[in-house]
Amino acid sequence: MERTLVLVKPDGVQRSLIGIVITRLEQRGLRLVGAKFMQVSKDLAERHYGMHKGKDFYDKLIRYITSAPVMAMVWEGPNAVEAVRQTMGLTRPTQAAPGTIRHDFALEIGYNITHASDGVENGENEVNMWFHPEELVRWERDVDRWIFE
Ligand code: DAT
Ligand code: MG
């Protein structure tokens, strides 16, 4: 089953949007397998955003993601990576489709509420970067048989 890392970033936490993000992913049919509310260290921030090192927004990005707590989660399901990216919407909120989190709750690119892994391999890498194996729960929902074909 595909897994993906989701963060409700500091702006989402400060704006009390944790519940809405969780609700949208639950309603989509995805299954929660791990969650922790945490303060991100500079070290983790730099590893997480390593691919953006050198870009003009990098320093601001590191300051932002470490500026307040985040809600880190792992969600799984068929095509979980693509499904979650779609539910979040495009990076720039004014380009995100109506009905997506970023369209519905954000205006500016830097304060776009959530992070979601952008590929299957990245999903695995980010899950391993943010969670220990014992923090992930293997379980089945009764309703899975009506969602996962
Ligand atoms: P995403 O979060 O959709 O995966 P990304 O990985 O390209 O987007 O960038 C990570 C975050 O960095 C993004 O959520 C917001 C910020 N960011 C990206 N491009 C930016 C830009 N051109 N100016 C300012 N911030 C930017
Ligand atoms: Mg990204």
Side-chain angles (χ1 to χ4, degrees), residues 49-109:
Y49 282 130
M51 78 287 267
H52 296 303
K53 198 172 164 73
K55 295 183 186 167
D56 56 357
F57 58 87
Y58 176 77
D59 289 344
K60 195 173 153 196
L61 193 55
I62 299 298
R63 274 201 306 278
Y64 156 65
I65 200 71
T66 57
S67 66
V70 305
M71 185 69 177
M73 298 178 278
V74 178
W75 290 83
E76 71 181 358
N79 306 306
V81 167
E82 193 184 358
V84 172
R85 291 284 294 187
Q86 186 185 39
T87 291
M88 299 317 174
L90 294 180
T91 306
R92 191 177 290 282
T94 49
Q95 291 173 352
T100 62
I101 296 279
R102 285 166 167 177
H103 171 279
D104 292 356
F105 298 102
L107 290 170
E108 299 234 65
I109 193 167

Side-chain angles (χ1 to χ4, degrees), residues 3 15 19-20 29 38 46-47 70 75 82 92 127 129:
R3 296 187 307 184
R15 293 178 54 200
I20 282 175
M38 59 186 281
E46 287 175 348
R47 280 187 287 132
V70 305
W75 290 83
E82 193 184 358
R92 191 177 290 282
V127 167
M129 188 186 298

Side-chain angles (χ1 to χ4, degrees), residues 13-149:
V13 170
Q14 293 287 341
R15 293 178 54 200
S16 304
L17 295 173
I18 295 172
I20 282 175
V21 173
I22 291 176
T23 296
R24 296 248 178 134
L25 296 175
E26 282 186 321
Q27 287 175 336
R28 190 82 199 263
L30 293 152
R31 188 164 66 190
L32 183 65
V33 294
K36 55 184 171 184
F37 184 65
M38 59 186 281
Q39 173 64 47
V40 180
S41 67
K42 188 152 187 286
D43 175 67
L44 178 57
E46 287 175 348
R47 280 187 287 132
H48 177 73
Y49 282 130
M51 78 287 267
H52 296 303
K53 198 172 164 73
K55 295 183 186 167
D56 56 357
F57 58 87
Y58 176 77
D59 289 344
K60 195 173 153 196
L61 193 55
I62 299 298
R63 274 201 306 278
Y64 156 65
I65 200 71
T66 57
S67 66
V70 305
M71 185 69 177
M73 298 178 278
V74 178
W75 290 83
E76 71 181 358
N79 306 306
V81 167
E82 193 184 358
V84 172
R85 291 284 294 187
Q86 186 185 39
T87 291
M88 299 317 174
L90 294 180
T91 306
R92 191 177 290 282
T94 49
Q95 291 173 352
T100 62
I101 296 279
R102 285 166 167 177
H103 171 279
D104 292 356
F105 298 102
L107 290 170
E108 299 234 65
I109 193 167
Y111 284 157
N112 60 8
I113 314 287
T114 56
H115 167 83
S117 308
D118 66 2
V120 176
E121 201 184 324
N122 258 356
E124 284 304 315
N125 291 339
E126 290 183 354
V127 167
N128 293 330
M129 188 186 298
W130 286 75
F131 285 82
H132 298 294
E134 64 271 19
E135 291 175 318
L136 302 177
V137 181
R138 293 176 74 96
W139 66 300
E140 281 172 17
R141 295 172 301 191
D142 292 342
V143 76
D144 283 346
R145 67 196 180 93
W146 296 105
I147 300 170
F148 304 158
E149 284 181 21

